[in-house]
């Protein structure tokens, strides 16, 4: 295993557990303690973790995302405003790709009122919500179910999307930054989001203002790969100006 592969695997363990030790990593990867310490030092230099005595812990929200049930009650007002603005961009009869996540689920609650739509989603909660409307054809993306997200992810989900072409894709991100672009906390989610973006004529990012200026672990796309970002009025004016100067259309949900 190359050092880069091992370091990525270390970060995945750190994402799941919140902390790791040199001893357990040495056993897991069958390498020497100095090799693991070197890996941890390099990852610390990149800002992904903080070294502790005998191991490391995750830093900030770069690697950690609360479960769906916890995120659903955070910044609800902002998410609902974003959802209204997103639904205003949808027209009857369109085919929509709808990402997993609590903001996208709020969009689904708005789309539920439409008479005729096709919605492709990897969100279990969204599929259940939209299935209640017989006028909406709901297609659930197959894949490995990740219970904390209530979503299907992984290589199977990515392959499922290959033959699909949609009018619009609404994709959620945990980080939006002028330098790193759009990012999320792990590679499984990043992989599916990238594929979603290639399967839609128009890509619309949704992220509340707390995500602006943040960078998460797995980069998904550059700013130029998204046509529009919908956020809330909490966005800092300087951030909005910078993102618009980079060519990104910003819709502020009032």
């Amino acid at each position: 295993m190359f050092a880069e592969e091992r370091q990525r695997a270390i970060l995945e363990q750190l994402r799941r557990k919140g902390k790791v030790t040199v001893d357990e990593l040495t056993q897991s990867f069958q390498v020497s303690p100095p090799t693991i310490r070197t890996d941890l030092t390099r990852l610390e230099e990149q800002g992904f973790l903080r070294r502790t005595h005998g191991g490391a812990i995750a830093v900030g929200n770069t690697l950690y995302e609360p479960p769906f049930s916890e995120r659903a009650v955070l910044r609800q007002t902002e998410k609902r405003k974003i959802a209204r603005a997103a639904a205003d961009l949808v027209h009857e009869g369109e085919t929509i790709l709808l990402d997993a996540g609590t903001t996208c689920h709020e969009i689904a609650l708005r789309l539920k009122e439409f008479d005729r739509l096709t919605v492709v989603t990897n969100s279990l909660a969204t599929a259940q919500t939209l299935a209640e409307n017989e006028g909406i054809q709901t297609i659930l993306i197959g894949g490995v179910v990740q219970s904390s997200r209530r979503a299907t992810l992984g290589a199977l989900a990515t392959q499922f999307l290959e033959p699909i072409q949609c009018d619009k894709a609404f994709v959620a991100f945990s980080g939006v930054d002028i330098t790193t672009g759009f990012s999320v906390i792990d590679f499984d989610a990043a992989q599916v989001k990238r594929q979603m973006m290639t399967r839609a004529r128009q890509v619309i990012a949704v992220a509340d203002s707390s995500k602006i200026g943040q960078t998460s672990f797995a980069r998904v796309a550059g700013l130029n790969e998204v046509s529009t970002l919908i956020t809330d009025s909490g966005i800092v004016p300087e951030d909005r100006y910078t993102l618009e100067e980079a060519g990104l259309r910003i819709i502020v949900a009032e």
Side-chain angles (χ1 to χ4, degrees), residues 96-100 104 107-108 111 119-122 126 130 170 196:
I96 304 298
L97 255 171
L98 196 54
D99 192 11
C104 286
I107 297 174
L111 298 184
V119 178
V120 183
T121 185
N122 65 329
T126 289
L130 295 179
F170 292 94
M196 284 182 170

Side-chain angles (χ1 to χ4, degrees), residues 5-226:
E5 295 176 302
R6 188 174 58 251
Q7 289 164 19
R8 194 170 98 171
I10 289 171
L11 287 174
E12 180 59 26
Q13 286 195 30
L14 190 60
R15 187 189 69 79
R16 294 197 309 268
K17 300 178 180 180
K19 63 180 181 180
V20 291
T21 68
V22 172
D23 287 343
E24 68 183 6
L25 293 175
T26 298
Q27 295 177 16
S28 178
F29 298 108
Q30 295 296 297
V31 294
S32 67
T35 297
I36 292 297
R37 292 191 188 98
T38 299
D39 288 336
L40 296 179
T41 297
R42 289 177 179 171
L43 292 170
E44 183 177 44
E45 289 170 352
Q46 296 175 63
F48 291 126
L49 54 79
R50 188 170 78 246
R51 294 289 306 278
T52 62
H53 180 68
I57 59 174
V59 174
N61 64 356
T62 302
L63 294 169
Y64 176 70
E65 181 179 69
F68 184 96
S69 58
E70 293 181 23
R71 287 182 286 121
V73 298
L74 298 174
R75 301 180 67 86
Q76 276 189 336
T77 300
E78 291 85 352
K79 291 174 183 177
R80 287 170 180 168
K81 290 178 180 179
I82 291 170
R84 284 197 294 269
D88 286 343
L89 301 179
V90 177
H91 302 97
E92 293 283 358
E94 286 189 322
T95 301
I96 304 298
L97 255 171
L98 196 54
D99 192 11
T102 54
T103 302
C104 286
H105 186 245
E106 290 291 341
I107 297 174
L109 293 173
R110 292 283 168 178
L111 298 184
K112 186 180 176 181
E113 306 304 318
F114 278 65
D115 294 322
R116 188 168 57 90
L117 283 178
T118 296
V119 178
V120 183
T121 185
N122 65 329
S123 167
L124 305 182
T126 289
Q128 185 174 18
T129 294
L130 295 179
E132 298 173 7
N133 182 339
E134 294 183 359
I136 298 178
Q137 182 181 42
T138 305
I139 300 172
L140 179 61
I141 297 168
V144 177
V145 175
Q146 198 171 100
S147 58
S148 65
R149 285 191 171 127
R150 299 184 190 174
T152 55
L153 296 172
L156 286 174
T158 304
Q159 293 171 15
F160 186 99
L161 285 162
E162 286 181 359
I164 291 172
Q165 187 66 45
C166 296
D167 296 303
K168 297 181 176 79
F170 292 94
V171 188
F173 298 97
S174 49
V176 182
D177 181 75
I178 185 63
T179 302
T180 56
F182 297 94
S183 57
V184 292
I185 66 158
D186 65 20
F187 287 101
D188 282 345
Q191 184 181 34
V192 173
K193 291 172 193 285
R194 285 193 199 103
Q195 182 74 315
M196 284 182 170
M197 293 172 69
T198 67
R199 310 320 302 163
R201 295 183 181 88
Q202 183 180 5
V203 179
I204 302 159
V206 293
D208 68 66
S209 58
S210 70
K211 313 292 177 56
I212 311 298
Q214 301 297 314
T215 298
S216 288
F217 172 56
R219 184 178 183 272
V220 178
L223 296 180
N224 63 339
E225 297 176 72
V226 170

